[in-house]
Amino acid sequence: MLPRRTAHAPRRRDVAGSDRGNRALGMRGLLRRVRNDVSMNHTTVVEFVLLGLAESRRWEITLFLFLGIAYLLILLGNISVISITLTNDFLQTPMYYFLRNFALLEITFTSTFLPSTLYSLLTERKTISLPGCFLQMLFFYCLGTCTLFYMAVMSLDRYVAICRPLHYPAIMNSRFCLQLLLGCWALSFLLMLPPTIMTVLLPFCGPNVMNHFYCDVSVLLQLSCTDTGFIEELMFIILIIILPGTLIVTAVSYGCIIITILHIPSSAGRRKAFSTCSAHLMVVMVFYSTCIYRYIRPTQRGGQDSDKILSLFFSVLTQTLNPYIYSLRNRQVKQALKERILKFSGSLRQM
């Protein structure tokens, strides 16, 4: 019996050792499987789902018509401004140079998201690819920031023209105007590229559903499976600099313009000048108030339905009004447009 016991003792140890080995292998296999699942989760999000502006089909059709008309007005108004200011010799002044470039910027800015939004409303296709989302976000924020700088530059141009008319040709020469516009573009991309690139490099593990109609950075950061606190703080600091900074330049410029207008002896001249300034200020107030409340309010994490309404105001409504308030209400532009229409109708009659 003793040899049998001594013979079985090592076998029990072997069995116990093999059980421990199997458990160790099982744990390694489990850890390897978890790592694989995590790495797969980091790459599973290949597209995002944009919930859009409405849930019911009736509202989607209504919004499609509304946004389609708005986009058509934006294109027609801004293309008219560009063509008229390019082809008329008496509109080759700094003011119209800025308005022409502003019109081009508005077409580019709205085209980053409105065509895809209209397509989504019409076809009910609500997905956007990962690269498409990142590109849309990059151009939306860079061009939107450029719009803020452009509005500040145009208000500064009007200040010099009205308050310093004798120095206007010397200050607003063609070289300085070009430098101002290039500075707007350069500053916009330099400020918005770092947080955008950092957002692009984040891992996204799911869910992939965004409660918005375009790729909004505050909503996108909530979908990342890593800490995004630094990017959120950086974005907040950049917006704190851009929004109040450009607003101060615009407000001070229009404040000085209003003071100068009050010294105009003619009541008709004062009324006309106030009419123009009040229309400009209305657009500026709507644009800045919605932007500031949307992006630099105390709780600025996105994804709420109210955020989409605010975004519609500053990205669609003001862009629709801008060409008609800034340019097409102008007496010289209206005269040039009237001559163009008469010339076109005359050529049609000859045909």
Side-chain angles (χ1 to χ4, degrees), residues 41 67 220 236 264 268:
N41 284 335
L67 292 178
L220 192 62
F236 184 76
I264 296 175

Side-chain angles (χ1 to χ4, degrees), residues 194-207:
T196 305
I197 291 173
M198 284 189 280
T199 304
V200 168
L201 297 176
L202 289 174
F204 293 94
C205 313

Side-chain angles (χ1 to χ4, degrees), residues 14-66:
D14 290 343
V15 170
S18 64
D19 289 342
R20 284 194 299 270
N22 289 335
R23 283 196 296 271
L25 287 173
M27 287 299 294
R28 290 194 196 102
L30 179 62
L31 287 172
R32 193 179 298 113
R33 196 178 301 119
V34 169
R35 289 193 196 101
N36 290 336
D37 290 342
V38 170
S39 63
M40 285 177 66
N41 284 335
H42 283 307
T43 57
T44 47
V45 176
V46 294
E47 62 181 16
F48 292 105
V49 178
L50 298 171
L51 293 182
L53 293 162
E55 295 180 0
S56 67
R57 189 60 184 156
R58 172 191 277 180
W59 275 107
E60 284 184 337
I61 296 298
T62 305
L63 285 167
F64 173 80
L65 294 173
F66 169 74

Side-chain angles (χ1 to χ4, degrees), residues 93 294 350:
T93 62
R294 170 65 187 88
Q350 291 177 0

Side-chain angles (χ1 to χ4, degrees), residues 20 131 139 168 292 337:
R20 284 194 299 270
F139 285 110
Y168 183 70
I292 288 171
L337 183 61

